[in-house]
Amino acid sequence: MKYIDEYRNPEHIERLCASIRKMAQKPYVFMEVCGGHTMNIQKFGIPSLLPSEIKLISGPGCPVCVTDTSYIDHMTALSQLDNTIICTYGDLMRVPGTYTTLEKEKAAGADIRVVLSSLDALKTATENPKKNVIFAAIGFETTAPGTAVAVLEAEKIHLSNFSILSAHKIMPPAMKAIVEDDVKINGYICPGHVSTISGSEMYEEICRDFGLGCVISGFEPLDILQSIYMLLLQLKHVDPKVEIQYKRAVKPWGNRKAKRIMNQVFVAEDGNWRGLGSIKKSVLKLRPQFYKYDAEQQFSVSFNTKEPDKGCICGEILKGKKSPSDCNLFAHKCNPENPVGACMVSNEGTCQAYFKYHQYGR
Ligand code: SF4
């Protein structure tokens, strides 16, 4: 198959669903750990196609959602420095910090600009040599190589007014933390885009240590359903393994060049995830030789982070312990126009996915 329509073919979907129904002889819970999967699972109504024995739950796969309050506080504090431009992806603008958001600080006069890539931020720095340009570097293995390229490029052209505040994260430590936190799942639907960079090998440890099947999935309905079918087959044969469903994009070894550049620039350290707390060796920080591009090292700002108690249960949702409909604020006080928590802000957030595709927004 080559084209999108073929991955949405109703006859193929019906056949696959019939096979899934036959295989699902008892309750199973599968977690998807990619915001893109969460969105498409809701958009295409995948849960309504599955037998009641199969439950899909969302994990910490939305990069904006897992960016913790202290990072937003740090970024908004940096935005108050003189002669400073903050460059950020658009989704981060409305994520709440303790007292404010980047969007509110921009409205109040801070120079905060939305960019589409780390290289746009680098360009902003070259065009504004008298200003310090700080890039809000968030995202998983998918965006981290791009940030690493920007840092290497800044070094190559001797750019002294560019820096990043890194909250880049890597996925496997969070997947381990979820299982260790006693969230009961029978298999992982693993992220497609992250795996194009990292490959499938990084899930082997999870599979081995926890006896959990891991299937790397594409994003179309047939991809997701086939991944569920592959997990069910593994369970039937009591043979948990790492498999690639998304073969048209993912290789077991991933993208070696991107991984090499990422490892050259970053090192994994312990760090905070919204809802999951501190996870060992899960956040990518710049190596000491690149500290001149590290906003954390270059600028001293103070901020006071408190987790606001507004009834938001994003943390529990990101762990897969609760669903948006368990939140008292869902679709009432909290909606995409007026988001209370990060899971409603982001285009890949679980709360926004439920809101958009369960008729609440119509
Ligand atoms: Fe938080 Fe809003 Fe989701 Fe409730 S619906 S968990 S308040 S983001």
Side-chain angles (χ1 to χ4, degrees):
M1 287 193 286
K2 289 180 191 160
Y3 306 110
I4 283 182
D5 285 352
E6 295 166 289
Y7 292 95
R8 300 177 183 180
N9 181 304
E11 281 169 31
H12 292 161
I13 288 175
E14 184 39 55
R15 259 208 307 275
L16 196 44
C17 286
S19 304
I20 288 173
R21 279 195 292 276
K22 252 190 235 162
M23 298 272 292
Q25 297 299 325
K26 55 181 187 173
Y28 293 115
V29 178
F30 301 130
M31 174 179 273
E32 86 271 359
V33 276
C34 170
H37 285 148
T38 299
M39 269 292 158
N40 279 2
I41 284 169
Q42 299 307 324
K43 179 176 169 183
F44 292 111
I46 303 283
S48 68
L49 300 173
L50 296 172
S52 58
E53 286 81 4
I54 295 183
K55 186 176 175 196
L56 300 180
I57 58 173
S58 309
C62 157
V64 172
C65 307
V66 295
T67 300
D68 77 312
T69 309
S70 68
Y71 181 85
I72 303 297
D73 291 341
H74 197 163
M75 214 64 220
T76 49
L78 288 168
S79 76
Q80 305 303 306
L81 293 173
D82 289 338
N83 274 328
T84 299
I85 301 172
I86 302 292
C87 289
T88 175
Y89 296 124
D91 268 10
L92 210 57
M93 290 291 282
R94 296 200 297 158
V95 177
T98 302
Y99 303 107
T100 184
T101 64
L102 288 169
E103 187 178 55
K104 285 182 188 161
E105 293 311 310
K106 181 178 170 69
D111 193 346
I112 299 172
R113 305 183 189 185
V114 171
V115 292
L116 295 176
S117 73
S118 52
L119 294 179
D120 285 349
L122 195 73
K123 187 163 172 266
T124 306
T126 58
E127 289 169 353
N128 295 274
K130 293 195 174 144
K131 303 247 182 177
N132 289 312
V133 173
I134 303 172
F135 175 57
I138 68 155
F140 297 116
E141 289 91 333
T142 335
T143 49
T147 305
V149 167
V151 169
L152 291 175
E153 186 62 20
E155 185 170 60
K156 192 170 144 197
I157 61 176
H158 307 292
L159 200 59
S160 59
N161 65 329
F162 175 75
S163 61
I164 68 163
L165 185 66
S166 178
H168 280 304
K169 294 178 172 58
I170 47 177
M171 192 51 90
M175 291 168 68
K176 274 196 237 168
I178 281 179
V179 191
E180 282 164 354
D181 197 24
D182 220 18
V183 177
K184 303 280 181 236
I185 56 173
N186 301 101
Y188 272 121
I189 298 171
C190 296
H193 297 140
V194 160
S195 306
T196 58
I197 303 294
S198 296
S200 60
E201 291 154 0
M202 67 173 183
Y203 305 110
E204 295 290 350
E205 203 180 319
I206 293 166
C207 182
R208 188 193 61 226
D209 293 354
F210 302 103
L212 279 177
C214 294
V215 174
I216 298 165
S217 180
F219 294 87
E220 291 299 318
L222 271 178
D223 289 320
I224 295 166
L225 289 167
Q226 191 182 14
S227 299
I228 292 167
Y229 180 73
M230 289 163 80
L231 284 168
L232 286 170
L233 265 185
Q234 291 185 17
L235 285 160
K236 182 180 173 191
H237 297 299
V238 198
D239 183 21
K241 55 190 163 193
V242 178
E243 290 185 286
I244 304 173
Q245 182 280 332
Y246 196 26
K247 285 191 174 148
R248 60 193 186 278
V250 177
K251 301 279 174 275
W253 51 87
N255 181 327
R256 289 186 177 126
K257 189 172 180 187
K259 284 200 283 191
R260 182 171 46 74
I261 290 171
M262 204 162 68
N263 289 333
Q264 182 185 347
V265 172
F266 291 116
V267 61
E269 293 183 2
D270 302 353
N272 283 334
W273 294 54
R274 190 185 293 264
L276 281 78
S278 179
I279 301 179
K280 276 196 184 331
K281 295 196 183 301
S282 66
V283 174
L284 297 176
K285 295 289 182 184
L286 286 171
R287 291 184 181 277
Q289 61 267 40
F290 297 105
Y291 274 177
K292 63 183 167 198
Y293 303 109
D294 191 340
E296 217 166 334
Q297 305 292 332
Q298 296 302 318
F299 305 103
S300 168
V301 286
S302 59
F303 55 91
N304 186 13
T305 295
K306 288 187 202 149
E307 286 305 329
D309 180 19
K310 293 179 186 161
C312 174
I313 57 164
C314 264
E316 295 296 288
I317 291 172
L318 289 164
K319 278 191 266 193
K321 290 191 169 177
K322 293 205 166 150
S323 109
S325 47
D326 296 322
C327 175
N328 290 333
L329 308 183
F330 178 70
H332 302 293
K333 281 193 181 156
C334 183
N335 55 60
E337 287 296 305
N338 294 295
V340 176
C343 301
M344 188 61 92
V345 173
S346 170
N347 285 330
E348 294 192 345
T350 307
C351 296
Q352 191 179 125
Y354 274 62
F355 186 92
K356 257 188 176 164
Y357 298 115
H358 287 251
Q359 315 253 327
Y360 295 103
R362 291 170 205 168

